[in-house]
Amino acid sequence: MTLPAVRRDPATDLFFDATARGHLLLRRCTACGAHAAPPSDSCPRCRNATADWEPAAGTATVVSWTVVHGRTPGAERTAALVELTEGPWMYAALRGLRPGERPWAGMPVAVAFERPEGGEAIPVFHPADRTGEHTA
């Protein structure tokens, strides 16, 4: 799955500054302390519109996934819905699977970052036991 180039705006400057350094940030509600995945504009628990950026652990578990088939043989890629350790869910590419390997619900994963040509660094996930192995 080729990732699209993502561009920043004033609301996402801090998030993309962090991804460029290899860090994932989440929104944390200033009223109740609940975490929200970017690009949330209000708290999922209390609907407060004020939140601060906070570093995330960078770990998650797979909730669900889909295989995206390309037009050419071997161009299949996996996209996953992951639950971050802090609680929010996020959609992202799932990289680092071995040929024929399929993810499973509850599979531990860890964040990495890719920078599509002309865009910002964006989060992708790898099986937690092989985050150092990168397959684009």
Side-chain angles (χ1 to χ4, degrees):
M1 172 171 65
T2 302
L3 298 174
V6 176
R7 308 260 189 272
R8 70 174 61 213
D9 60 27
T12 59
D13 278 343
L14 291 174
F15 178 79
F16 287 121
D17 287 348
T19 63
R21 295 186 311 271
H23 301 286
L24 178 63
L25 296 182
L26 295 176
R27 305 285 290 168
R28 186 173 184 117
C29 178
T30 57
C32 74
H35 287 98
S40 301
D41 58 359
S42 66
C43 176
R45 185 185 305 158
C46 73
R47 302 292 177 227
N48 178 40
T50 308
D52 293 324
W53 288 107
E54 179 177 283
T59 55
T61 57
V62 172
V63 174
S64 186
W65 69 95
T66 187
V67 176
V68 180
H69 297 278
R71 293 180 183 241
T72 58
E76 296 83 16
R77 297 288 188 228
T78 304
L81 175 63
V82 300
E83 182 175 9
L84 300 169
T85 299
E86 293 81 2
W89 290 13
M90 222 177 146
Y91 289 104
L94 184 58
R95 304 290 202 218
L97 295 172
R98 295 185 175 116
E101 181 181 20
R102 293 285 182 237
W104 64 89
M107 177 184 205
V109 293
V111 74
F113 298 89
E114 291 183 8
R115 183 184 294 269
E117 188 173 327
E120 300 293 338
I122 57 176
V124 299
F125 286 84
H126 292 256
D129 63 344
R130 53 192 114 119
T131 57
E133 300 174 26
H134 180 73
T135 57

